[in-house]
């Protein structure tokens, strides 16, 4: 089983909202003073891949697209147990939209050789779009199953439990297929010391657009179908009315009385 | 610029009704169509659904395209996408509005990329740019820490809208419109994936998406037992129990209780957040609540930035006293 996992580097989505800043001139965001991380849902996708590999054997190739990717960040999937890392790391990839990025990833997947399964997170923590997986499936003409909470492979058929708001759907699909992974799959494992040592020895393969058969002008900002007009932070001007009291119990009583007086409850 | 014209809303149906989000799509669709001076059409796909056309017209549509075939009774991704592709190629709308639902999340991008265009997901505001006449698509990004305004340069401009972000029109049963039936002409060769079964994981009591009061717990609740105390308060207030993601991931409460960007988006009258820090991703699911009340021992917790009432303290001490006092006050 050859498994591809697409995962990217992002600003840390779990950092306190107070450290979130927008650089208005560049229309870009950062978490002030907090280092970037591997995208959380991508990590769930890596975890899903590792479980499939454990159940039936195989190889996991991770592909990350970005500009100036930090090795210590993008190598985390290797430390978790993935086998190979391909980086689409070049200025030419900068500024792409969901389509541009998925197209480059799809071309890299084709070049990487035979594959059975392509895993992506259900949505990235920066764009919150959830389009990379579906887009890759359309570009490569593959079946697509989104929001997986369980993946089983039997007789080269996929059986997937797909999360929905009232339970789950059971879906069957032939391979190869694209699957996007939800957090219900289970917590991603922590890298082990052995894993971290092994990851150190693996040199990522770096592909520029021309390596995957794309002209430099055929990716990144040049190929956007969607343009960002503006990026801004919503403001909340609400004011919190704190309950008063010398003990938690007194404050609790004060809150109950306040809510009653304000006719909230 | 292109021969695409008009606004189309894909109206998702469930149990012989259009979903509330479809009516919300028709509401904003009507506005956009009027601004552009163009028509609003609607598309419905399913089995035995032709009877919904008048309801859709009363919610604002000028024209309803109906693909009614018993084989379309249940959602199957590949079939629905190919049916929609066919309808859209015939109707050629400039804008397509869908709901950010379980299925809209995958339908919209796949349809858009198949049509050679792009989708913007989970929009909370839509407007027409006065100059370019393109659709200004506002959507939360970075988990809700920011919002972005996008323009799609290709047609059709596909968007999904967030639940409860747009307003439905008051249905006007005297509205007139036209309905057009399009044959499904299903082609079995497009079917790759197959949904074998839909498993409903029953939750007892009121569903959080319908509840007027939601008592939600976070990582700080610490155990399934802790959630029982939240349950007691929820019962008293005739509400439902929700959660941030960690309690669901830890199995303290079923996944269906998750509130947030990747859980449920709800807007109850009252949202009581207990031991929840108020991450942007969580707030995405509850910031539409009328009154947020927070209990947290960290006075710097982000939840207090959006809460109307707060208690700084240990929930284990605050909650029982609060529930007790409320009981007394509500009895008198
Ligand atoms: C793409 C993406 C999507 C996500 N989607 C969602 C989503 O849909 N919903 C969601 O909830 N999260 C989501 N998350 C996760 C989110 O980023 C946070 O990790 C999560 O919301 C934190 O949950 P929490 O507030 O319960 O936990 P924490 O942030 O750990 O907060 C626990 C809080 O409890 C308080 N506390 C602890 N003990 C006590 C006590 N005894 N008394 C009083 N207070 C106490 C602490 O002070 C703290 O504020 C998503 C993340 C990503 C990256």
């Amino acid at each position: 089983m050859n498994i591809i996992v697409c995962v990217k580097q992002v600003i840390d989505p779990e950092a306190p909202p107070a450290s979130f800043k927008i650089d208005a001139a560049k229309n870009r965001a950062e978490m002030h003073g907090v280092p970037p991380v591997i995208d959380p849902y991508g990590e769930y996708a890596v975890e899903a891949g590792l479980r499939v590999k454990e159940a039936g054997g195989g190889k996991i190739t991770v592909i990350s697209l970005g500009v100036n990717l930090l090795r210590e960040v993008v190598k985390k999937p290797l430390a978790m147990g993935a086998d190979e890392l391909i980086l689409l790391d070049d200025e030419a990839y900068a500024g792409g939209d969901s389509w541009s990025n998925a197209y480059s990833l799809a071309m890299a997947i084709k070049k990487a050789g035979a594959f059975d399964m392509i895993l992506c997170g259900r949505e990235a923590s920066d764009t919150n779009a959830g389009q990379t997986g579906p887009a890759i499936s359309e570009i490569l003409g593959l079946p697509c199953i989104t929001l997986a909470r369980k993946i089983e492979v039997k007789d080269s058929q996929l059986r997937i439990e797909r999360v929905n708001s009232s339970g789950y759907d059971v879906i069957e699909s032939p391979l190869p297929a694209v699957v996007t992974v939800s957090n219900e799959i289970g917590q991603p494992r922590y890298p082990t010391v052995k894993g971290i040592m092994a990851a150190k020895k693996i040199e990522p393969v770096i592909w520029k657009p021309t390596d995957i058969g794309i002209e430099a002008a055929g990716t990144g900002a040049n190929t956007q179908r969607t343009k960002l007009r503006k990026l801004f932070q919503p403001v909340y001007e609400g004011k919190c009315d704190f309950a008063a009291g010398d003990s938690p119990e007194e404050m609790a009583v004060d809150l109950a009385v306040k809510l009653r007086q304000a006719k909230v409850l | 610029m292109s021969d695409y014209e008009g606004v189309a809303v894909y109206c998702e149906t469930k149990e012989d009704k259009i979903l509330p989000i479809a009516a919300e799509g028709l509401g904003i669709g009507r506005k956009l169509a009027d601004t552009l001076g163009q028509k609003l059409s609607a598309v419905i796909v399913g089995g035995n659904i032709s009877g919904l056309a008048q309801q859709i017209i009363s919610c604002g549509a000028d024209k309803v395209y109906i693909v009614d075939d018993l084989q379309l009774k249940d959602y199957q991704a590949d079939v629905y996408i190919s049916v929609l592709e066919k309808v859209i190629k015939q109707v050629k709308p400039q804008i397509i509005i869908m709901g950010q639902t379980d299925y809209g999340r995958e339908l919209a991008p796949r349809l858009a990329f198949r049509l050679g265009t792009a989708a913007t997901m989970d929009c909370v505001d839509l407007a027409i740019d006065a100059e370019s006449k393109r659709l200004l698509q506002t959507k939360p990004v970075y988990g809700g820490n920011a919002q972005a305004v996008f323009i799609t340069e290709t047609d059709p401009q596909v968007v999904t809208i967030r639940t409860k972000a747009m307003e439905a029109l008051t249905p006007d049963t005297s509205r007139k419109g036209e309905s057009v039936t399009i044959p499904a002409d299903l082609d079995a060769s497009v079917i790759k994936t197959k949904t074998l079964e839909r498993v409903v994981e029953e939750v007892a009591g009121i569903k959080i998406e319908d509840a007027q009061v939601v008592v939600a717990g976070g990582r700080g609740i610490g155990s399934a037992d802790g959630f029982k105390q939240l349950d007691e308060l929820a019962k008293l207030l005739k509400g439902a129990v929700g959660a941030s993601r960690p309690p669901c991931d830890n199995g303290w409460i079923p996944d269906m209780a998750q509130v947030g960007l990747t859980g449920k988006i709800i807007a109850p009258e009252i949202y009581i957040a207990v031991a929840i820090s108020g991450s942007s991703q969580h707030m995405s699911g509850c910031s539409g609540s009328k009154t947020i009340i927070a209990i947290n021992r960290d006075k710097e917790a982000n939840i207090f930035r959006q809460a109307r009432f707060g208690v700084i303290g240990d929930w284990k001490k605050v909650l029982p006293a609060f529930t007790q006092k409320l009981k007394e006050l509500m009895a008198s």
Side-chain angles (χ1 to χ4, degrees), chain A residues 14, chain B residues 219 244-245 258-259 262 275 277 279 281-282 296 314-315:
Chain A
E14 302 268 354
Chain B
R219 198 196 311 265
S244 61
R245 201 174 75 188
Q258 184 184 320
V259 173
T262 50
S277 66
S279 68
Q281 296 89 355
H282 182 76
N296 197 302
D314 185 344
W315 74 268

Side-chain angles (χ1 to χ4, degrees), chain B residues 36 126 134 143 167 184 191 220 232 238 322-323:
Chain B
L36 289 166
L126 296 172
R134 304 297 291 174
E167 243 171 281
I191 306 174
E232 197 191 325
K238 298 190 174 55
F322 177 63
T323 307

Side-chain angles (χ1 to χ4, degrees), chain A residues 41 126-128 131 138 146 162 165-166 168-170 172 174 183 225 227 229-230 232 241 243 264, chain B residues 102-103 106 110 114 117 119 139 142-143 147 149 151 153 194 196-197 199 201 245 249 264 308 310:
Chain A
Y41 274 110
D126 49 4
T127 59
N128 302 132
Q131 300 203 53
E138 288 297 324
T146 57
R162 179 195 195 270
S165 47
S166 57
Y168 60 93
D169 297 339
V170 181
E172 212 171 57
N183 51 290
R225 291 172 178 178
K227 288 225 149 68
R229 261 283 173 100
K230 196 172 131 194
F232 64 99
D241 183 350
V264 174
Chain B
D102 292 338
Y103 301 125
E106 64 180 16
R110 288 185 64 190
R114 195 167 288 188
T117 179
K139 88 170 274 328
Y142 297 100
Q147 292 194 354
V149 182
I151 286 193
E153 301 202 313
K194 247 178 107 177
L196 305 176
E197 197 188 347
V199 180
E201 293 184 324
R245 201 174 75 188
D249 285 347
K264 299 226 156 85
R308 177 70 191 79

Side-chain angles (χ1 to χ4, degrees), chain A:
Chain A
M1 179 82 42
N2 282 316
I3 302 162
I4 308 259
V5 186
C6 301
V7 47
K8 68 170 166 179
Q9 174 181 313
V10 292
I11 63 169
D12 188 351
E14 302 268 354
S19 44
F20 182 86
K21 299 273 168 337
I22 287 175
D23 179 342
K26 289 199 190 119
N27 254 353
R28 263 183 28 197
E30 62 162 8
M31 280 293 179
H32 198 73
V34 185
V37 294
I38 206 79
D39 181 58
Y41 274 110
E43 243 182 83
Y44 283 103
V46 173
E47 176 62 32
L50 290 166
R51 292 183 189 188
V52 172
K53 178 179 159 178
E54 279 161 2
K59 188 183 87 178
I60 299 177
T61 305
V62 173
I63 308 183
S64 299
L65 178 148
V67 182
N68 295 325
L69 297 170
L70 300 173
R71 293 300 181 270
E72 66 271 25
V73 174
V74 291
K75 274 192 161 189
K76 184 169 181 194
L78 293 173
M80 289 168 71
D83 302 282
E84 288 175 10
L85 177 63
I86 298 170
L87 300 179
L88 308 183
D89 187 343
D90 193 79
E91 283 293 340
Y93 296 115
D97 64 4
S98 295
W99 158 258
S100 337
N101 296 339
Y103 184 72
S104 298
L105 288 167
M107 294 307 115
I109 291 165
K110 273 217 252 183
K111 165 153 177 156
F115 60 85
D116 303 290
M117 198 188 300
I118 300 165
L119 299 172
C120 298
R122 64 177 279 176
E123 66 176 66
S125 58
D126 49 4
T127 59
N128 302 132
Q131 300 203 53
T132 305
I136 291 172
S137 88
E138 288 297 324
I139 293 163
L140 297 177
L142 296 173
C144 177
I145 304 103
T146 57
L147 312 186
R149 62 168 224 177
K150 191 170 176 196
I151 303 174
E152 282 173 330
V153 184
K154 228 197 209 151
D155 308 326
S156 28
Q157 276 276 116
L158 262 180
R159 198 186 161 89
I160 301 221
E161 289 180 10
R162 179 195 195 270
V163 173
N164 68 36
S165 47
S166 57
Y168 60 93
D169 297 339
V170 181
I171 300 175
E172 212 171 57
S173 167
L175 289 169
V178 178
V179 181
T180 78
V181 178
S182 192
N183 51 290
E184 290 83 356
I185 202 101
Q187 285 297 321
R189 66 199 62 193
Y190 289 104
T192 58
V193 175
K194 203 173 132 218
I196 294 167
M197 297 308 288
K200 279 212 171 106
K201 294 201 197 92
I202 303 172
E203 261 313 300
V205 176
I206 297 166
W207 286 342
K208 307 209 167 299
T210 48
D211 295 323
I212 51 174
I214 304 178
E215 300 281 314
T219 183
N222 288 318
T223 55
Q224 283 176 343
R225 291 172 178 178
T226 307
K227 288 225 149 68
L228 177 63
R229 261 283 173 100
K230 196 172 131 194
L231 188 64
F232 64 99
Q233 260 180 289
V235 277
Y236 305 103
E237 63 251 332
K239 209 182 147 297
C240 188
D241 183 350
F242 286 102
D246 291 333
S247 68
E249 289 81 4
E250 271 181 45
M251 286 190 266
V253 168
D254 186 47
L255 176 68
V257 171
K258 262 196 184 124
L259 292 175
R260 236 9 219 186
Q261 277 168 355
K263 296 206 164 55
V264 174
L265 283 175

